[in-house]
Amino acid sequence: MAVLKDATAIVGIGQTPFAKQLPESERALACRAILAALDDAGIAPDEVDALASYTMEETDEVEVAKALGLGDLTFFSKVGYGGGGSCATVAHLAAAIATGQATVGVAWRSRKRGSGPRPWKNTTVQLPTPAQWTRPYGLLRPADEIAMLARRHMHEYGTTRDHLFNVALACRNRANQNPAAIMYERPLTREMYMNSRWISEPLCLFDNCLETDGALACVVVSAERARDCRRTPVYVHSAAQGLPAQHHGMVNYWNDDPLTGPAWTAARHLWKHADLTPDDIDVAQIYDAFTALIPLSLEGYGFCARGEGGAFTEGGALETGGRLPLNTSGGGLSEAYVHGFNLINEGVRQLRGTSTAQVPDAATCLVTAGEGVPTSALLLRN
Amino acid sequence: MLTPVVDDDGAPFWEYAARGELRIQACADCAELRFPPRPCCPHCRSFATEWRRVSGRGRIWSYVRPHPPLLPDYAEQAPYHVVLVELTDAPRIRLVGNLVSGPGARLDSVPAERIRIGARVQVVFTPTGLPQWLLERP
């Protein structure tokens, strides 16, 4: 891991507009995001020799490479488990570049979740085999699966709906500052939150992420190469994946301790190989498909003790100027839900000093992927 | 309504359930219980398995109340209770199920105010062999 520490850097980021519905295909959106990221880096497409994305990505590397005129690829990888894969795409590229398997890597995610189909609206869908233990009982959607853990966390630790509101509000307040966010200029109040419709009690509408069309990409090169790029390099200081012993994706109910999920495993490795501790983190981009994932992640990544994740959100801790400014572009809850890739790009903007909700002198950022599934995380620094 | 899409490892569970028996997979060598079913014991790596009958008593570990949008059959009964039941005989084994007022009753048949974490429940089976849960003290 010493090999990986600060050995590579993100030197380009790119994205398409975000909307409930975009006219172009996922493939076209992916191409636009990748070209934007390469342009940001000042690197020509034919220099790209590594690609990484998610297993759920419909746009495969053959098509992307062909469409964009990329060079000969010597490394390509796809990371599983949906939103758990986001940070690992960068981690895989960093490992490949640090070990000489490639020189210029692009990670991307393109998704039409805003205008695409909803599995729970279609009775003919063939459900996956592990679902035999949950789906017949009407535990149908990710919101239902995470609500089960949220309810238990509330029961064991006194976490409240106000704590979850604090998370939703912090994300919305930052989105209100970000013209690219779907929730730009759309404020949220406590009254709106408390009076909104239920999705899966104890989770209401505003506890759930957006449904978004859009694509994002970033470019990873060696630290040496990064010094010659157009932009200030953002170094990959530490990276980790996490799949705990006896884990079961989304429904971690059969683990000995379901409230200590993959974040705990990823965090141990992440901090072990870093020169930083949670106290050194200036700003965090924590995967927020659901507000209830934030208390679990705050505990898992060591920002507070177990059971204190709800209380941590009190007193404006997650707001600008607070103890841990969170999801400063609006996150999955209020900027765009593109399987967490927007959190990576926002981490880069913070360390470049170009965020629309800039944390003064931000020098370190934690970015995490989906908690509740096999996950991944990055420590970025400038 | 959705019916279980059964895999090879899970098939015995559903065959026993169709006969009104709640049985959990156990290692035939070291006796560790495991759920969901799988081919090898994560404790001793034995492939020898048996299916141990359990009392069907448990406590609610957590629960949710889904609201639409849902699949139409479920939306029609929403909001309903999905419970996670920790078995009395096997505290680390937790089964997802529905809390209902009687075998085969509607998914919304228990009033919301009756449910709480820690409540004692007892398994029953629908005519199609799906385990469901009744409050011991309704």
Side-chain angles (χ1 to χ4, degrees):
Chain A
M1 195 67 181
V3 174
L4 202 56
K5 189 190 292 179
D6 302 327
T8 61
I10 299 175
V11 292
I13 53 173
Q15 67 192 45
T16 67
F18 304 129
K20 181 84 174 172
Q21 185 158 16
L22 293 173
E24 289 189 309
S25 69
E26 284 180 343
R27 194 187 300 178
L29 295 172
C31 289
R32 289 191 187 281
I34 292 169
L35 286 178
L38 286 166
D39 182 58
D40 187 51
I43 291 176
D46 63 5
E47 291 189 69
V48 174
D49 56 8
L51 291 175
S53 194
Y54 304 49
T55 56
M56 291 181 182
E57 174 62 39
E58 299 290 323
T59 311
D60 77 34
E61 46 277 87
V62 174
E63 295 303 322
V64 166
K66 200 160 55 176
L68 295 178
L70 304 186
D72 290 347
L73 299 184
T74 58
F75 180 90
F76 34 93
S77 132
K78 284 199 168 177
V79 187
Y81 310 104
S86 59
C87 292
T89 61
V90 172
H92 285 201
L93 292 175
I97 291 165
T99 53
Q101 296 178 77
T103 57
V104 176
V106 172
W108 85 96
R109 182 77 174 105
S110 175
R111 206 167 189 228
K112 296 191 76 170
R113 171 65 182 269
S115 57
R118 297 283 172 287
W120 52 90
K121 285 189 178 173
N122 178 4
T123 44
T124 63
V125 69
Q126 183 63 36
L127 292 156
T129 301
Q132 69 188 300
W133 311 111
T134 58
R135 294 288 187 267
Y137 306 106
L139 197 75
L140 301 174
R141 306 159 300 182
D144 304 318
E145 295 169 330
I146 296 301
M148 194 75 86
L149 297 175
R151 173 91 68 185
R152 183 71 192 189
H153 199 273
M154 291 170 153
H155 172 79
E156 277 197 34
Y157 301 121
T159 306
T160 65
R161 291 194 68 212
D162 266 305
H163 292 144
L164 301 184
F165 166 65
N166 290 340
V167 173
L169 183 66
C171 291
R172 183 62 68 92
N173 284 343
R174 300 295 81 72
N176 291 162
Q177 296 172 253
N178 174 12
I182 289 180
M183 291 299 176
Y184 180 56
E185 294 183 329
R186 292 178 67 180
L188 177 69
T189 65
R190 185 174 182 279
E191 187 183 11
M192 286 165 68
Y193 176 91
M194 292 297 172
N195 293 332
S196 70
R197 64 186 169 90
W198 293 114
I199 300 298
S200 193
E201 295 176 55
L203 301 183
C204 71
L205 178 67
F206 295 112
D207 292 312
N208 289 262
C209 62
L210 298 167
E211 293 169 333
T212 310
D213 285 7
L216 300 105
C218 73
V219 182
V220 182
V221 299
S222 70
E224 189 181 9
R225 170 81 182 261
R227 286 192 277 273
D228 300 328
C229 285
R230 183 180 284 171
R231 298 286 199 169
T232 308
V234 170
Y235 294 97
V236 179
H237 181 67
S238 179
Q241 290 184 268
L243 198 174
Q246 297 297 308
H247 173 69
H248 199 107
M250 289 306 289
V251 282
N252 198 33
Y253 312 152
W254 304 295
N255 192 298
D256 281 1
D257 188 355
L259 295 182
T260 58
W264 294 72
T265 303
R268 276 194 293 275
H269 189 80
L270 194 74
W271 299 120
K272 181 180 169 187
H273 295 284
D275 298 337
L276 308 166
T277 70
D279 284 343
D280 300 316
I281 297 304
D282 297 324
V283 56
Q285 316 295 335
I286 298 184
Y287 195 92
D288 58 345
F290 306 101
T291 54
L293 296 179
I294 302 298
L296 294 171
S297 296
L298 290 170
E299 295 170 20
Y301 286 99
F303 292 101
C304 59
R306 179 169 178 176
E308 294 177 359
F312 185 97
T313 68
E314 294 171 4
L318 307 179
E319 303 283 342
T320 303
R323 198 166 152 196
L324 187 70
L326 182 84
N327 298 1
T328 45
S329 65
L333 288 163
S334 280
E335 183 191 29
Y337 184 63
V338 194
H339 256 163
F341 210 106
N342 52 321
L343 301 174
I344 300 172
N345 282 13
E346 174 62 8
V348 171
R349 283 191 295 265
Q350 279 288 348
L351 300 183
R352 286 177 174 180
T354 60
S355 170
T356 51
Q358 185 61 42
V359 172
D361 304 318
T364 58
C365 181
L366 169 73
V367 186
T368 77
E371 168 61 345
V373 291
T375 194
S376 51
L378 297 169
L379 283 177
L380 303 177
R381 55 165 287 265
N382 59 15
Chain B
M1 302 297 280
L2 297 172
T3 54
V5 180
V6 177
D7 65 359
D8 290 346
D9 294 320
F13 178 95
W14 298 110
E15 287 160 17
Y16 286 118
R19 305 206 294 258
E21 292 181 16
L22 188 66
R23 287 183 184 251
I24 302 295
Q25 191 187 34
C27 176
D29 283 323
C30 78
E32 272 289 291
L33 287 164
R34 61 182 191 258
F35 191 87
R38 70 205 81 140
C40 179
C41 173
H43 189 65
C44 75
R45 281 83 189 182
S46 167
F47 283 74
T49 63
E50 60 185 22
W51 286 80
R52 194 175 307 161
R53 189 157 187 179
V54 292
S55 67
R57 293 173 57 240
R59 286 176 183 269
I60 294 172
W61 189 87
S62 189
Y63 63 97
V64 300
R65 272 166 66 80
H67 292 247
L70 293 157
L71 291 170
D73 289 346
Y74 293 87
E76 191 270 321
Q77 300 181 58
Y80 50 88
H81 294 117
V82 188
V83 292
L84 188 57
V85 174
E86 192 159 67
L87 298 182
T88 305
D89 311 351
R92 288 173 301 142
I93 306 294
R94 304 180 190 97
L95 300 177
V96 176
N98 295 117
L99 189 72
V100 292
S101 62
R106 282 176 59 92
L107 301 188
D108 61 353
S109 55
V110 174
E113 61 273 16
R114 297 298 306 148
I115 188 169
R116 63 174 180 84
I117 288 178
R120 293 176 187 277
V121 292
Q122 174 69 47
V123 75
V124 290
F125 293 88
T126 66
T128 58
L130 201 62
Q132 295 186 311
W133 301 90
L134 306 183
L135 287 168
E136 276 192 9
R137 279 179 286 185

